[in-house]
Coordinates of all heavy atoms in Angstrom, one line a residue:
H86 N 208.0 80.5 63.1 CA 207.8 81.6 64.1 C 208.3 82.9 63.8 O 208.1 83.8 64.6 CB 208.3 81.0 65.5 CG 207.7 79.7 65.9 ND1 208.3 78.8 66.8 CD2 206.5 79.1 65.6 CE1 207.6 77.8 67.0 NE2 206.4 78.0 66.3
L87 N 209.0 83.0 62.7 CA 209.6 84.3 62.4 C 208.5 85.2 61.9 O 207.6 84.7 61.2 CB 210.7 84.2 61.2 CG 212.1 83.7 61.6 CD1 212.9 83.7 60.2 CD2 212.7 84.5 62.6
K88 N 208.6 86.6 62.1 CA 207.7 87.4 61.5 C 208.3 88.0 60.2 O 209.1 88.9 60.2 CB 207.4 88.6 62.5 CG 206.3 88.4 63.6 CD 205.8 89.6 64.0 CE 204.4 89.3 64.7 NZ 203.7 90.5 65.2
L89 N 208.0 87.3 59.2 CA 208.5 87.7 57.9 C 207.8 88.9 57.3 O 206.6 89.0 57.4 CB 208.4 86.6 56.8 CG 209.2 85.3 57.2 CD1 208.8 84.1 56.3 CD2 210.7 85.6 57.1
P90 N 208.5 89.9 56.7 CA 207.8 91.1 56.1 C 206.8 90.6 55.1 O 206.9 89.6 54.4 CB 209.0 91.9 55.5 CG 210.2 91.2 56.1 CD 210.0 89.9 56.5
A91 N 205.8 91.5 54.9 CA 204.7 91.1 53.9 C 205.3 91.0 52.5 O 204.7 90.2 51.8 CB 203.6 92.2 54.0
E92 N 206.4 91.7 52.2 CA 206.9 91.7 50.9 C 208.0 90.6 50.7 O 208.6 90.4 49.7 CB 207.5 93.0 50.5 CG 208.7 93.5 51.3 CD 208.4 94.0 52.6 OE1 207.2 94.1 53.1 OE2 209.3 94.5 53.3
W93 N 208.2 89.7 51.8 CA 209.3 88.7 51.7 C 209.0 87.7 50.7 O 208.0 87.3 50.4 CB 209.4 88.0 53.1 CG 210.6 87.2 53.2 CD1 211.9 87.6 53.5 CD2 210.8 85.7 53.0 NE1 212.8 86.5 53.5 CE2 212.1 85.4 53.1 CE3 209.9 84.8 52.5 CZ2 212.6 84.1 53.0 CZ3 210.3 83.5 52.3 CH2 211.7 83.2 52.6
N94 N 210.2 87.4 49.9 CA 210.0 86.4 48.8 C 211.2 85.5 48.9 O 212.2 85.8 49.2 CB 210.0 87.1 47.5 CG 209.6 86.3 46.3 OD1 210.3 85.4 45.9 ND2 208.4 86.6 45.7
V95 N 210.9 84.2 48.5 CA 212.0 83.2 48.5 C 213.1 83.6 47.6 O 214.3 83.3 47.8 CB 211.4 81.8 48.1 CG1 212.5 80.7 47.9 CG2 210.4 81.3 49.1
L96 N 212.8 84.3 46.5 CA 213.8 84.7 45.5 C 214.5 86.0 45.8 O 215.4 86.5 45.1 CB 213.1 84.8 44.1 CG 212.5 83.5 43.7 CD1 211.8 83.8 42.3 CD2 213.6 82.4 43.4
G97 N 214.1 86.6 47.0 CA 214.7 87.9 47.3 C 213.9 89.1 46.9 O 212.8 89.0 46.3
A98 N 214.5 90.3 47.2 CA 213.7 91.5 47.0 C 213.7 92.0 45.6 O 212.8 92.7 45.2 CB 214.3 92.6 47.9
D99 N 214.7 91.7 44.8 CA 214.8 92.2 43.4 C 213.9 91.3 42.6 O 214.3 90.3 42.0 CB 216.3 92.1 43.0 CG 216.5 92.8 41.6 OD1 215.4 93.3 41.2 OD2 217.6 92.9 41.1
Q100 N 212.6 91.8 42.4 CA 211.7 91.1 41.5 C 211.9 91.3 40.0 O 211.2 90.7 39.2 CB 210.4 91.5 41.9 CG 209.9 91.2 43.4 CD 210.1 89.7 43.7 OE1 209.6 88.8 43.1 NE2 210.9 89.5 44.7
S101 N 212.9 92.1 39.7 CA 213.1 92.5 38.3 C 213.9 91.4 37.6 O 214.0 91.3 36.3 CB 213.9 93.9 38.1 OG 215.1 93.7 38.7
L102 N 214.5 90.4 38.4 CA 215.3 89.4 37.9 C 214.4 88.4 37.2 O 213.4 88.0 37.8 CB 216.1 88.7 38.9 CG 217.3 89.5 39.6 CD1 217.8 88.7 40.8 CD2 218.4 89.8 38.6
T103 N 214.7 87.9 36.0 CA 213.9 86.9 35.4 C 214.3 85.4 35.7 O 215.5 85.3 36.3 CB 213.9 87.1 33.8 OG1 215.2 86.7 33.4 CG2 213.6 88.5 33.4
E104 N 213.5 84.5 35.5 CA 213.8 83.1 35.8 C 215.0 82.5 35.0 O 215.5 81.5 35.2 CB 212.6 82.2 35.6 CG 211.6 82.5 36.7 CD 210.3 81.5 36.6 OE1 210.4 80.6 35.8 OE2 209.3 81.8 37.4
N105 N 215.3 83.4 33.9 CA 216.4 82.8 32.9 C 217.8 83.2 33.4 O 218.8 82.6 32.9 CB 216.2 83.4 31.6 CG 214.9 83.0 31.0 OD1 214.4 81.9 31.1 ND2 214.2 83.9 30.2
I106 N 217.9 84.0 34.5 CA 219.2 84.3 35.0 C 219.6 83.3 36.0 O 219.0 83.1 37.0 CB 219.1 85.8 35.7 CG1 218.7 86.9 34.7 CG2 220.5 86.1 36.3 CD1 218.6 88.2 35.2
P107 N 220.8 82.6 35.8 CA 221.2 81.7 36.7 C 221.6 82.2 38.0 O 222.3 83.3 38.1 CB 222.5 81.1 36.0 CG 222.4 81.5 34.6 CD 221.6 82.9 34.6
R108 N 221.1 81.6 39.1 CA 221.5 82.1 40.4 C 221.1 81.0 41.5 O 220.3 80.2 41.2 CB 220.9 83.4 40.8 CG 219.3 83.4 40.8 CD 218.7 84.8 40.7 NE 217.3 85.0 40.9 CZ 216.5 84.8 40.0 NH1 216.8 84.5 38.8 NH2 215.2 84.9 40.3
E109 N 221.8 81.2 42.6 CA 221.5 80.3 43.7 C 220.3 80.9 44.5 O 220.1 82.0 44.6 CB 222.7 80.3 44.7 CG 222.8 79.2 45.6 CD 223.2 77.9 45.0 OE1 223.7 77.8 43.9 OE2 222.9 76.8 45.7
T110 N 219.5 80.0 45.0 CA 218.3 80.4 45.7 C 218.2 79.6 47.1 O 218.9 78.6 47.3 CB 217.0 80.1 44.9 OG1 216.9 78.7 44.9 CG2 217.0 80.6 43.5
L111 N 217.4 80.2 47.9 CA 217.1 79.4 49.2 C 216.7 78.0 49.0 O 216.9 77.1 49.8 CB 216.1 80.1 50.0 CG 216.6 81.2 51.0 CD1 215.3 81.9 51.7 CD2 217.5 80.7 52.0
M112 N 215.9 77.8 47.9 CA 215.4 76.5 47.6 C 216.6 75.5 47.2 O 216.6 74.3 47.7 CB 214.3 76.6 46.5 CG 213.6 75.3 46.2 SD 212.4 75.0 47.6 CE 211.1 76.0 47.2
H113 N 217.6 76.0 46.5 CA 218.7 75.2 46.2 C 219.3 74.7 47.6 O 219.8 73.7 47.7 CB 219.7 76.0 45.4 CG 219.4 76.1 43.9 ND1 218.7 77.2 43.5 CD2 219.7 75.4 42.8 CE1 218.6 77.0 42.1 NE2 219.1 75.9 41.7
F114 N 219.5 75.7 48.5 CA 220.1 75.5 49.8 C 219.4 74.3 50.5 O 220.0 73.4 51.0 CB 220.2 76.8 50.7 CG 220.4 76.5 52.1 CD1 221.7 76.2 52.5 CD2 219.4 76.4 53.0 CE1 222.0 76.0 53.8 CE2 219.7 76.2 54.4 CZ 221.0 76.0 54.8
A115 N 218.1 74.5 50.6 CA 217.3 73.5 51.3 C 217.3 72.1 50.7 O 217.5 71.1 51.4 CB 215.8 74.0 51.5
V116 N 217.3 72.0 49.4 CA 217.3 70.8 48.7 C 218.7 70.1 48.7 O 218.8 68.9 48.9 CB 216.8 71.0 47.2 CG1 217.1 69.7 46.4 CG2 215.4 71.3 47.2
R117 N 219.7 70.9 48.6 CA 221.1 70.4 48.5 C 221.4 69.6 49.9 O 222.1 68.7 49.8 CB 222.1 71.5 48.4 CG 223.5 71.1 48.2 CD 224.5 72.2 47.9 NE 224.3 72.6 46.5 CZ 223.8 73.9 46.3 NH1 223.3 74.7 47.3 NH2 223.7 74.3 45.0
L118 N 220.9 70.2 51.0 CA 221.1 69.4 52.3 C 220.1 68.4 52.5 O 220.2 67.7 53.6 CB 221.2 70.5 53.4 CG 222.3 71.4 53.5 CD1 222.3 72.4 54.6 CD2 223.7 70.5 53.6
G119 N 219.0 68.3 51.7 CA 217.9 67.4 52.0 C 217.0 67.7 53.1 O 216.6 66.9 53.8
L120 N 216.8 69.0 53.2 CA 215.9 69.5 54.3 C 214.4 69.5 53.9 O 213.9 70.5 53.3 CB 216.4 71.0 54.7 CG 217.8 71.1 55.1 CD1 218.2 72.6 55.5 CD2 218.2 70.2 56.2
L121 N 213.7 68.4 54.1 CA 212.4 68.2 53.6 C 211.4 69.1 54.2 O 210.5 69.7 53.5 CB 212.0 66.7 54.1 CG 210.7 66.1 53.4 CD1 211.0 66.0 51.9 CD2 210.4 64.9 54.0
R122 N 211.4 69.3 55.5 CA 210.4 70.3 56.2 C 210.7 71.7 55.8 O 209.7 72.5 55.5 CB 210.5 70.2 57.7 CG 210.2 68.8 58.2 CD 210.5 68.8 59.8 NE 210.3 67.5 60.4 CZ 211.3 66.6 60.5 NH1 212.5 66.8 59.9 NH2 211.1 65.4 61.1
L123 N 211.9 72.2 55.7 CA 212.3 73.6 55.2 C 211.8 73.7 53.8 O 211.2 74.8 53.4 CB 213.7 73.9 55.4 CG 214.1 75.4 55.0 CD1 213.3 76.3 55.9 CD2 215.6 75.5 55.3
T124 N 212.0 72.7 52.9 CA 211.6 72.8 51.5 C 210.1 73.0 51.4 O 209.6 73.8 50.7 CB 212.0 71.6 50.8 OG1 213.5 71.4 50.8 CG2 211.6 71.6 49.3
W125 N 209.3 72.2 52.2 CA 207.8 72.3 52.3 C 207.5 73.8 52.6 O 206.7 74.4 52.1 CB 207.3 71.3 53.2 CG 205.8 71.5 53.5 CD1 205.3 72.2 54.5 CD2 204.7 71.1 52.7 NE1 203.9 72.2 54.4 CE2 203.5 71.7 53.3 CE3 204.7 70.5 51.4 CZ2 202.3 71.5 52.7 CZ3 203.4 70.3 50.9 CH2 202.2 70.7 51.5
F126 N 208.1 74.3 53.7 CA 207.8 75.6 54.1 C 208.0 76.7 53.1 O 207.2 77.4 52.8 CB 208.6 76.0 55.4 CG 208.5 77.4 55.8 CD1 207.4 77.7 56.7 CD2 209.3 78.4 55.4 CE1 207.2 79.1 57.1 CE2 209.1 79.8 55.8 CZ 208.0 80.1 56.7
L127 N 209.2 76.5 52.4 CA 209.6 77.5 51.3 C 208.5 77.4 50.2 O 208.3 78.4 49.5 CB 210.9 77.2 50.9 CG 212.1 77.6 51.9 CD1 213.4 77.2 51.4 CD2 212.1 79.0 52.3
L128 N 208.1 76.2 49.9 CA 207.2 76.0 48.8 C 205.9 76.8 49.0 O 205.2 77.2 48.0 CB 206.8 74.6 48.6 CG 207.8 73.6 47.8 CD1 207.4 72.3 47.8 CD2 207.9 74.2 46.3
Q129 N 205.5 76.9 50.2 CA 204.2 77.6 50.5 C 204.4 79.2 50.6 O 203.4 79.9 50.6 CB 203.7 77.3 52.0 CG 203.7 75.8 52.2 CD 203.1 74.9 51.2 OE1 202.0 75.2 50.7 NE2 203.9 73.9 50.7
Q130 N 205.6 79.7 50.4 CA 205.9 81.1 50.5 C 205.9 81.8 49.1 O 206.1 81.0 48.1 CB 207.2 81.4 51.2 CG 207.3 80.8 52.6 CD 206.2 81.0 53.5 OE1 205.8 82.1 53.7 NE2 205.6 80.0 54.1
P131 N 205.7 83.0 49.0 CA 205.8 83.8 47.7 C 207.2 83.5 47.0 O 208.2 83.5 47.7 CB 205.7 85.3 48.0 CG 205.0 85.3 49.3 CD 205.4 84.0 50.1
G132 N 207.1 83.0 45.7 CA 208.5 82.7 45.0 C 208.9 81.3 45.3 O 209.8 80.9 44.5

């Protein structure tokens, strides 16, 4: 129900970061707690 900005991304605003840089993500958070529905939602979003 949130109105997410058009440029919103699961990985954050800094798109210059490459996948090789170790970092925590929202997906790590959702999976660590076992949040199945939130993980599904994040999978459908950019990033």
Side-chain angles (χ1 to χ4, degrees):
H86 296 156
L87 282 183
K88 274 204 164 180
L89 295 170
E92 67 280 4
W93 191 84
N94 192 292
V95 172
L96 299 175
D99 190 355
Q100 299 305 305
S101 63
L102 293 173
T103 68
E104 290 186 5
N105 298 325
I106 298 176
R108 61 194 190 276
E109 197 72 18
T110 68
L111 269 182
M112 193 66 80
H113 283 91
F114 164 80
V116 171
R117 185 178 285 110
L118 286 180
L120 306 179
L121 194 65
R122 298 174 184 89
L123 183 57
T124 299
W125 168 263
F126 174 85
L127 294 175
L128 278 174
Q129 314 311 310
Q130 307 310 309

